[in-house]
Amino acid sequence: MITLMATETRTEYAIQISHLRHGKRETVIETFPGRETDKAFVEGQVLAERAWQESVDVSPDARLVSRTVTVSEWYAI
């Protein structure tokens, strides 16, 4: 049996946005499980969130954020 280690580096995307909680603005990061690496999907969600914010007279602050993740896994063959 041979054991190998594979390393994968990928970029994950999310929305950074402010919410009102108990009367105070709070910045949160919203993720989309299973769609983290789909930049086009998350960009569409950012645009939809900004449109909603504008429709309710909230200063639009939704934005795309990203991070690079490296994952290592061991495989036995």
Side-chain angles (χ1 to χ4, degrees):
M1 177 168 60
I2 300 172
T3 304
L4 302 171
M5 184 176 79
T7 302
E8 173 191 9
T9 300
R10 65 180 180 261
T11 303
E12 296 183 344
Y13 302 93
I15 294 176
Q16 180 177 314
I17 189 169
S18 295
H19 287 290
L20 284 178
R21 185 166 290 172
H22 305 294
K24 294 182 181 179
R25 261 183 120 67
E26 180 177 286
T27 300
V28 296
I29 304 239
E30 295 181 0
T31 60
F32 301 92
R35 304 295 294 264
E36 299 94 344
T37 59
D38 188 345
K39 183 178 181 182
F41 172 80
V42 179
E43 284 177 326
Q45 297 300 311
V46 169
L47 292 174
E49 189 66 41
R50 290 181 70 86
W52 178 84
Q53 288 177 321
E54 290 172 357
S55 75
V56 294
D57 286 333
V58 174
S59 174
D61 70 344
R63 66 185 187 106
L64 181 73
V65 292
S66 65
R67 69 178 182 169
T68 301
V69 179
T70 301
V71 179
S72 298
E73 297 182 53
W74 292 96
Y75 294 94
I77 55 172

Coordinates of all heavy atoms in Angstrom, one line a residue:
M1 N 0.8 -1.2 0.0 CA 0.0 0.0 0.0 C 0.9 1.2 0.0 O 1.9 1.3 0.7 CB -0.9 0.0 1.2 CG -1.8 1.2 1.3 SD -3.1 1.2 2.5 CE -2.3 1.0 4.1
I2 N 0.5 2.2 -0.8 CA 1.2 3.5 -0.9 C 0.3 4.6 -0.4 O -0.9 4.6 -0.7 CB 1.6 3.8 -2.3 CG1 2.5 2.7 -2.9 CG2 2.2 5.1 -2.5 CD1 2.8 2.8 -4.4
T3 N 0.9 5.5 0.4 CA 0.1 6.6 1.0 C 0.6 7.9 0.3 O 1.8 8.1 0.3 CB 0.3 6.7 2.5 OG1 -0.1 5.5 3.1 CG2 -0.6 7.8 3.1
L4 N -0.3 8.7 -0.2 CA 0.0 9.9 -0.9 C -0.8 11.1 -0.2 O -1.9 10.9 0.3 CB -0.4 9.9 -2.4 CG 0.2 8.8 -3.2 CD1 -0.5 8.8 -4.6 CD2 1.7 9.0 -3.4
M5 N -0.2 12.2 -0.3 CA -0.9 13.4 0.2 C -1.1 14.3 -0.9 O -0.2 14.6 -1.7 CB -0.1 14.2 1.3 CG -0.8 15.3 1.9 SD 0.0 16.2 3.2 CE 1.2 17.2 2.3
A6 N -2.4 14.8 -1.1 CA -2.7 15.7 -2.1 C -3.1 17.0 -1.5 O -3.8 17.0 -0.5 CB -3.9 15.2 -2.9
T7 N -2.7 18.1 -2.1 CA -3.0 19.4 -1.6 C -3.8 20.2 -2.6 O -3.4 20.2 -3.8 CB -1.7 20.2 -1.2 OG1 -1.0 19.4 -0.2 CG2 -2.0 21.6 -0.6
E8 N -4.9 20.8 -2.2 CA -5.7 21.6 -3.1 C -5.8 23.0 -2.5 O -6.1 23.2 -1.4 CB -7.1 21.0 -3.2 CG -8.1 21.8 -4.0 CD -9.5 21.3 -3.9 OE1 -9.8 20.4 -3.1 OE2 -10.3 21.9 -4.6
T9 N -5.6 24.0 -3.4 CA -5.8 25.4 -3.0 C -6.9 25.9 -3.8 O -7.0 25.7 -5.0 CB -4.5 26.2 -3.3 OG1 -3.5 25.6 -2.5 CG2 -4.7 27.7 -2.9
R10 N -7.9 26.6 -3.2 CA -9.1 27.1 -3.9 C -9.4 28.4 -3.2 O -9.1 28.7 -2.1 CB -10.2 26.1 -3.8 CG -10.8 25.9 -2.4 CD -12.0 24.9 -2.5 NE -12.5 24.7 -1.2 CZ -12.2 23.6 -0.4 NH1 -11.4 22.7 -0.9 NH2 -12.7 23.5 0.8
T11 N -10.2 29.2 -4.0 CA -10.7 30.5 -3.5 C -12.2 30.3 -3.2 O -12.9 29.8 -4.0 CB -10.5 31.6 -4.5 OG1 -9.1 31.7 -4.8 CG2 -11.0 33.0 -4.0
E12 N -12.6 30.8 -2.0 CA -14.0 30.7 -1.6 C -14.6 32.1 -1.5 O -13.8 33.0 -1.1 CB -14.2 30.0 -0.3 CG -13.7 28.5 -0.3 CD -13.9 27.8 1.0 OE1 -14.1 28.5 2.1 OE2 -13.9 26.6 1.0
Y13 N -15.8 32.3 -1.9 CA -16.5 33.6 -1.9 C -17.7 33.6 -1.0 O -18.3 32.6 -0.7 CB -16.9 33.9 -3.3 CG -15.8 33.9 -4.3 CD1 -15.5 32.7 -5.0 CD2 -15.0 35.0 -4.5 CE1 -14.4 32.7 -5.9 CE2 -13.9 35.0 -5.4 CZ -13.7 33.8 -6.1 OH -12.6 33.8 -6.9
A14 N -18.0 34.8 -0.5 CA -19.1 35.0 0.4 C -19.5 36.5 0.3 O -18.9 37.3 -0.4 CB -18.7 34.7 1.9
I15 N -20.6 36.9 1.0 CA -21.1 38.2 1.0 C -20.8 38.8 2.4 O -21.0 38.2 3.4 CB -22.6 38.3 0.9 CG1 -23.0 37.8 -0.5 CG2 -23.2 39.7 1.1 CD1 -24.5 37.8 -0.7
Q16 N -20.2 40.0 2.4 CA -20.1 40.8 3.7 C -21.2 41.8 3.7 O -21.3 42.6 2.7 CB -18.7 41.4 3.8 CG -18.6 42.2 5.1 CD -17.2 42.8 5.2 OE1 -16.2 42.1 5.0 NE2 -17.1 44.0 5.5
I17 N -22.0 41.9 4.7 CA -23.1 42.8 4.8 C -23.4 43.2 6.2 O -23.0 42.5 7.1 CB -24.3 42.1 4.1 CG1 -25.5 43.1 3.9 CG2 -24.7 40.9 4.9 CD1 -26.6 42.5 3.1
S18 N -24.0 44.4 6.3 CA -24.4 44.8 7.7 C -25.9 44.5 7.9 O -26.7 44.6 7.0 CB -24.3 46.4 7.8 OG -22.9 46.7 7.7
H19 N -26.2 44.1 9.1 CA -27.6 43.8 9.5 C -27.9 44.6 10.8 O -26.9 44.9 11.5 CB -27.8 42.3 9.9 CG -27.8 41.4 8.7 ND1 -28.8 41.4 7.8 CD2 -26.9 40.5 8.3 CE1 -28.6 40.5 6.9 NE2 -27.4 39.9 7.1
L20 N -29.1 45.0 11.0 CA -29.5 45.6 12.3 C -29.9 44.5 13.2 O -30.8 43.7 12.9 CB -30.7 46.5 12.1 CG -30.4 47.9 11.4 CD1 -31.6 48.7 11.2 CD2 -29.4 48.7 12.3
R21 N -29.3 44.5 14.4 CA -29.6 43.5 15.4 C -29.7 44.2 16.7 O -28.8 44.8 17.2 CB -28.5 42.4 15.4 CG -28.9 41.3 16.4 CD -28.0 40.1 16.2 NE -28.4 39.5 14.9 CZ -27.7 38.5 14.4 NH1 -26.6 38.0 15.0 NH2 -28.1 38.0 13.2
H22 N -30.9 44.2 17.3 CA -31.2 44.9 18.6 C -30.9 46.3 18.4 O -30.3 47.0 19.4 CB -30.4 44.2 19.7 CG -30.6 42.8 19.9 ND1 -31.8 42.3 20.3 CD2 -29.8 41.7 19.7 CE1 -31.7 40.9 20.4 NE2 -30.5 40.6 20.0
G23 N -31.2 46.9 17.3 CA -31.0 48.3 17.0 C -29.6 48.8 16.7 O -29.3 50.0 16.5
K24 N -28.6 47.8 16.6 CA -27.3 48.2 16.3 C -26.9 47.5 15.0 O -27.3 46.4 14.7 CB -26.3 47.7 17.4 CG -26.5 48.3 18.7 CD -25.5 47.8 19.7 CE -25.7 48.5 21.1 NZ -24.8 48.0 22.1
R25 N -26.0 48.2 14.2 CA -25.5 47.6 13.0 C -24.4 46.6 13.3 O -23.5 46.9 14.1 CB -25.0 48.7 12.1 CG -26.0 49.1 11.0 CD -25.4 50.2 10.1 NE -25.3 49.8 8.7 CZ -26.4 49.6 7.9 NH1 -27.6 49.7 8.4 NH2 -26.2 49.3 6.7
E26 N -24.5 45.5 12.6 CA -23.5 44.5 12.9 C -23.1 43.9 11.5 O -23.9 43.6 10.7 CB -24.2 43.4 13.7 CG -23.4 42.2 14.0 CD -24.1 41.2 14.9 OE1 -24.3 41.5 16.1 OE2 -24.6 40.2 14.4
T27 N -21.8 43.8 11.3 CA -21.3 43.3 10.0 C -21.2 41.7 10.1 O -20.6 41.2 11.1 CB -19.9 43.9 9.7 OG1 -20.0 45.3 9.6 CG2 -19.4 43.3 8.4
V28 N -21.8 41.1 9.1 CA -21.7 39.6 9.1 C -21.2 39.1 7.7 O -21.3 39.9 6.8 CB -23.1 39.0 9.4 CG1 -23.6 39.3 10.8 CG2 -24.1 39.4 8.4
I29 N -20.8 37.9 7.7 CA -20.4 37.3 6.4 C -21.4 36.1 6.2 O -21.5 35.2 7.0 CB -19.0 36.7 6.5 CG1 -18.0 37.8 6.9 CG2 -18.6 36.0 5.2 CD1 -16.9 38.2 6.0
E30 N -22.0 36.2 5.0 CA -23.0 35.1 4.7 C -22.4 34.2 3.6 O -21.8 34.7 2.6 CB -24.3 35.7 4.1 CG -25.0 36.5 5.1 CD -26.3 37.1 4.6 OE1 -26.6 36.9 3.4 OE2 -27.0 37.8 5.3
T31 N -22.4 32.9 3.9 CA -21.8 31.9 3.0 C -23.0 31.1 2.3 O -24.1 31.1 2.8 CB -20.9 31.0 3.7 OG1 -21.6 30.3 4.7 CG2 -19.7 31.7 4.3
F32 N -22.6 30.4 1.3 CA -23.5 29.6 0.6 C -23.0 28.2 0.5 O -22.2 27.9 -0.5 CB -23.8 30.1 -0.8 CG -24.4 31.5 -0.8 CD1 -23.6 32.6 -0.8 CD2 -25.7 31.7 -0.7 CE1 -24.1 33.9 -0.7 CE2 -26.3 33.0 -0.6 CZ -25.4 34.1 -0.6
P33 N -23.3 27.3 1.4 CA -22.7 26.0 1.5 C -22.9 25.2 0.1 O -24.0 25.2 -0.4 CB -23.4 25.2 2.6 CG -23.8 26.4 3.5 CD -24.1 27.5 2.6
G34 N -21.8 24.7 -0.4 CA -21.8 24.0 -1.7 C -21.6 24.9 -2.9 O -21.4 24.4 -4.0
R35 N -21.7 26.2 -2.6 CA -21.5 27.2 -3.8 C -20.3 28.1 -3.5 O -20.1 29.1 -4.1 CB -22.7 28.0 -4.0 CG -24.0 27.3 -4.2 CD -24.0 26.5 -5.5 NE -24.0 27.2 -6.7 CZ -25.0 27.6 -7.5 NH1 -26.3 27.3 -7.1 NH2 -24.9 28.2 -8.6
E36 N -19.5 27.8 -2.5 CA -18.4 28.7 -2.0 C -17.4 29.1 -3.2 O -16.9 30.2 -3.2 CB -17.6 28.2 -0.9 CG -18.4 27.9 0.4 CD -18.9 26.4 0.4 OE1 -18.8 25.7 -0.6 OE2 -19.3 26.0 1.5
T37 N -17.2 28.2 -4.1 CA -16.2 28.5 -5.1 C -16.8 29.0 -6.4 O -16.1 29.2 -7.4 CB -15.4 27.2 -5.4 OG1 -16.3 26.2 -5.9 CG2 -14.6 26.7 -4.2
D38 N -18.1 29.2 -6.4 CA -18.8 29.7 -7.6 C -19.0 31.2 -7.5 O -19.9 31.8 -7.0 CB -20.2 29.0 -7.6 CG -21.0 29.3 -8.9 OD1 -20.6 30.2 -9.6 OD2 -22.0 28.6 -9.1
K39 N -17.9 31.9 -8.0 CA -17.8 33.3 -7.9 C -19.0 34.0 -8.6 O -19.6 34.9 -8.1 CB -16.5 33.8 -8.5 CG -16.4 35.3 -8.4 CD -15.0 35.8 -9.0 CE -14.9 37.3 -8.8 NZ -13.6 37.8 -9.4
A40 N -19.4 33.5 -9.8 CA -20.5 34.2 -10.5 C -21.8 34.1 -9.7 O -22.6 35.0 -9.7 CB -20.7 33.5 -11.9
F41 N -22.1 32.9 -9.0 CA -23.3 32.8 -8.2 C -23.3 33.8 -7.1 O -24.3 34.4 -6.8 CB -23.4 31.3 -7.7 CG -24.5 31.1 -6.7 CD1 -25.8 31.0 -7.1 CD2 -24.2 31.2 -5.3 CE1 -26.8 30.8 -6.2 CE2 -25.2 31.0 -4.4 CZ -26.5 30.8 -4.9
V42 N -22.2 33.9 -6.4 CA -22.1 34.8 -5.2 C -22.2 36.2 -5.6 O -22.8 37.0 -5.0 CB -20.9 34.5 -4.3 CG1 -20.8 35.4 -3.2 CG2 -20.9 33.0 -3.8
E43 N -21.6 36.6 -6.8 CA -21.7 37.9 -7.3 C -23.2 38.3 -7.6 O -23.6 39.4 -7.3 CB -20.9 38.1 -8.6 CG -19.4 38.2 -8.3 CD -18.6 38.3 -9.6 OE1 -19.0 37.7 -10.6 OE2 -17.6 39.0 -9.6
G44 N -23.9 37.3 -8.1 CA -25.3 37.5 -8.3 C -26.1 37.7 -7.0 O -27.0 38.6 -7.0
Q45 N -25.7 37.0 -6.0 CA -26.3 37.2 -4.7 C -26.0 38.6 -4.1 O -26.9 39.2 -3.5 CB -25.9 36.1 -3.7 CG -26.3 34.7 -4.1 CD -27.8 34.6 -4.2 OE1 -28.5 34.9 -3.3 NE2 -28.2 34.0 -5.3
V46 N -24.8 39.1 -4.3 CA -24.4 40.4 -3.9 C -25.3 41.5 -4.6 O -25.8 42.4 -3.9 CB -22.9 40.7 -4.2 CG1 -22.6 42.2 -3.9 CG2 -22.0 39.8 -3.3
L47 N -25.4 41.3 -5.9 CA -26.3 42.3 -6.6 C -27.7 42.3 -6.2 O -28.3 43.3 -6.0 CB -26.2 42.0 -8.1 CG -24.8 42.3 -8.8 CD1 -24.9 41.8 -10.3 CD2 -24.4 43.7 -8.7
A48 N -28.2 41.1 -5.9 CA -29.6 41.0 -5.4 C -29.8 41.6 -4.0 O -30.7 42.3 -3.8 CB -30.0 39.5 -5.4
E49 N -28.8 41.4 -3.2 CA -28.8 42.0 -1.8 C -28.8 43.5 -1.9 O -29.5 44.2 -1.2 CB -27.7 41.4 -1.0 CG -27.8 41.8 0.5 CD -29.0 41.1 1.2 OE1 -29.3 40.0 0.9 OE2 -29.6 41.9 2.0
R50 N -27.9 44.0 -2.7 CA -27.7 45.5 -2.9 C -29.1 46.1 -3.4 O -29.5 47.1 -3.0 CB -26.6 45.8 -3.8 CG -25.2 45.5 -3.1 CD -24.1 45.9 -4.1 NE -23.9 47.4 -4.2 CZ -23.3 48.2 -3.3 NH1 -22.7 47.6 -2.3 NH2 -23.2 49.5 -3.5
A51 N -29.7 45.4 -4.4 CA -31.0 45.9 -4.9 C -32.0 45.9 -3.8 O -32.8 46.9 -3.7 CB -31.4 45.0 -6.1
W52 N -32.1 44.9 -3.0 CA -33.0 44.9 -1.9 C -32.7 46.0 -0.9 O -33.7 46.7 -0.5 CB -33.0 43.5 -1.1 CG -33.9 43.5 0.0 CD1 -35.2 43.2 0.0 CD2 -33.6 43.8 1.4 NE1 -35.8 43.4 1.2 CE2 -34.8 43.7 2.1 CE3 -32.4 44.2 2.0 CZ2 -34.8 43.9 3.5 CZ3 -32.5 44.4 3.4 CH2 -33.7 44.3 4.1
Q53 N -31.5 46.2 -0.6 CA -31.1 47.3 0.4 C -31.6 48.6 -0.2 O -32.1 49.4 0.6 CB -29.6 47.3 0.6 CG -29.1 46.2 1.5 CD -27.6 46.2 1.6 OE1 -26.8 46.5 0.7 NE2 -27.1 45.9 2.8
E54 N -31.4 48.9 -1.5 CA -31.8 50.1 -2.0 C -33.3 50.3 -2.0 O -33.8 51.4 -1.8 CB -31.3 50.2 -3.5 CG -29.8 50.5 -3.5 CD -29.2 50.4 -4.9 OE1 -30.0 50.1 -5.9 OE2 -28.0 50.6 -5.1
S55 N -34.1 49.2 -2.2 CA -35.5 49.2 -2.2 C -36.1 49.6 -0.9 O -37.2 50.0 -0.8 CB -36.1 47.9 -2.7 OG -36.0 46.9 -1.7
V56 N -35.4 49.3 0.2 CA -35.9 49.6 1.6 C -35.2 50.8 2.2 O -35.1 51.0 3.4 CB -35.9 48.4 2.5 CG1 -36.8 47.3 2.0 CG2 -34.4 47.9 2.6
D57 N -34.5 51.6 1.3 CA -33.8 52.8 1.8 C -32.7 52.6 2.8 O -32.6 53.3 3.8 CB -34.8 53.9 2.3 CG -35.6 54.5 1.2 OD1 -35.0 54.6 0.0 OD2 -36.7 55.0 1.4
V58 N -32.0 51.5 2.6 CA -30.8 51.2 3.5 C -29.6 51.4 2.6 O -29.6 51.1 1.4 CB -30.9 49.7 3.9 CG1 -29.6 49.4 4.7 CG2 -32.1 49.5 4.8
S59 N -28.6 52.1 3.2 CA -27.4 52.3 2.4 C -26.8 51.0 2.0 O -26.5 50.1 2.8 CB -26.4 53.0 3.3 OG -25.1 53.1 2.7
P60 N -26.7 50.7 0.7 CA -26.2 49.4 0.2 C -24.7 49.2 0.5 O -23.9 50.0 0.1 CB -26.4 49.5 -1.3 CG -26.5 50.9 -1.7 CD -27.0 51.6 -0.4
D61 N -24.4 48.2 1.3 CA -23.1 47.9 1.6 C -22.7 46.5 1.4 O -21.6 46.0 1.7 CB -22.8 48.2 3.1 CG -23.5 47.3 4.1 OD1 -24.5 46.6 3.6 OD2 -23.2 47.3 5.3
A62 N -23.5 45.7 0.7 CA -23.2 44.3 0.4 C -22.0 44.3 -0.5 O -21.9 45.0 -1.5 CB -24.4 43.6 -0.2
R63 N -21.0 43.4 -0.2 CA -19.9 43.3 -1.1 C -19.4 41.8 -1.1 O -19.6 41.1 -0.2 CB -18.8 44.2 -0.7 CG -18.1 44.0 0.6 CD -17.1 45.1 0.9 NE -16.4 44.8 2.1 CZ -15.1 44.4 2.1 NH1 -14.5 44.3 1.0 NH2 -14.5 44.2 3.2
L64 N -18.7 41.5 -2.2 CA -18.1 40.2 -2.4 C -16.8 40.2 -1.6 O -16.0 41.1 -1.6 CB -17.8 40.0 -3.8 CG -17.2 38.6 -4.2 CD1 -18.2 37.5 -4.1 CD2 -16.7 38.7 -5.6
V65 N -16.6 39.1 -0.8 CA -15.3 38.9 -0.1 C -14.8 37.5 -0.5 O -15.6 36.6 -0.9 CB -15.4 39.0 1.4 CG1 -15.7 40.4 1.8 CG2 -16.5 38.1 2.0
S66 N -13.5 37.3 -0.4 CA -12.9 36.0 -0.7 C -11.8 35.7 0.2 O -11.3 36.5 0.9 CB -12.4 36.0 -2.2 OG -11.3 36.9 -2.3
R67 N -11.5 34.4 0.2 CA -10.4 33.9 1.0 C -9.8 32.7 0.2 O -10.5 32.0 -0.5 CB -10.8 33.5 2.4 CG -11.7 32.2 2.5 CD -12.0 31.9 3.9 NE -12.8 30.7 3.9 CZ -13.1 30.0 4.9 NH1 -12.7 30.4 6.1 NH2 -13.8 28.9 4.9
T68 N -8.5 32.5 0.4 CA -7.9 31.3 -0.2 C -7.7 30.2 0.8 O -7.2 30.5 2.0 CB -6.5 31.7 -0.8 OG1 -6.7 32.8 -1.7 CG2 -5.8 30.6 -1.5
V69 N -8.1 29.0 0.5 CA -8.1 27.9 1.4 C -7.2 26.8 0.8 O -7.3 26.5 -0.4 CB -9.5 27.4 1.7 CG1 -9.5 26.2 2.6 CG2 -10.4 28.4 2.2
T70 N -6.3 26.2 1.6 CA -5.5 25.1 1.2 C -5.9 23.9 2.1 O -5.9 24.0 3.3 CB -4.0 25.4 1.4 OG1 -3.7 26.5 0.6 CG2 -3.2 24.2 0.9
V71 N -6.3 22.8 1.4 CA -6.7 21.6 2.1 C -5.8 20.5 1.7 O -5.5 20.3 0.5 CB -8.2 21.3 1.7 CG1 -8.6 20.0 2.4 CG2 -9.1 22.4 2.0
S72 N -5.3 19.8 2.7 CA -4.4 18.6 2.4 C -5.2 17.3 2.9 O -5.8 17.3 3.9 CB -3.1 18.7 3.2 OG -2.4 19.8 2.8
E73 N -5.1 16.3 2.0 CA -5.7 15.0 2.4 C -4.8 13.9 2.1 O -4.0 14.0 1.1 CB -7.0 14.9 1.5 CG -8.1 15.9 1.8 CD -9.3 15.6 1.0 OE1 -9.8 14.5 1.1 OE2 -9.8 16.6 0.4
W74 N -4.9 12.8 2.9 CA -4.0 11.6 2.7 C -4.9 10.6 1.9 O -6.0 10.4 2.2 CB -3.6 11.1 4.0 CG -2.6 12.0 4.7 CD1 -2.8 12.9 5.6 CD2 -1.2 12.0 4.4 NE1 -1.7 13.5 6.0 CE2 -0.6 13.0 5.3 CE3 -0.3 11.3 3.6 CZ2 0.7 13.3 5.3 CZ3 1.0 11.6 3.6 CH2 1.5 12.6 4.5
Y75 N -4.2 9.9 0.9 CA -4.9 8.9 0.2 C -4.0 7.6 0.2 O -2.8 7.7 0.1 CB -5.0 9.3 -1.3 CG -6.0 10.4 -1.5 CD1 -5.5 11.7 -1.6 CD2 -7.3 10.3 -1.6 CE1 -6.3 12.8 -1.8 CE2 -8.2 11.3 -1.8 CZ -7.7 12.6 -1.9 OH -8.5 13.6 -2.1
A76 N -4.7 6.5 0.4 CA -4.0 5.2 0.4 C -4.4 4.5 -0.9 O -5.6 4.4 -1.2 CB -4.4 4.4 1.6
I77 N -3.4 4.1 -1.7 CA -3.7 3.4 -2.9 C -2.9 2.1 -2.9 O -2.0 1.8 -2.2 CB -3.3 4.2 -4.2 CG1 -1.9 4.6 -4.1 CG2 -4.2 5.4 -4.3 CD1 -1.4 5.3 -5.4

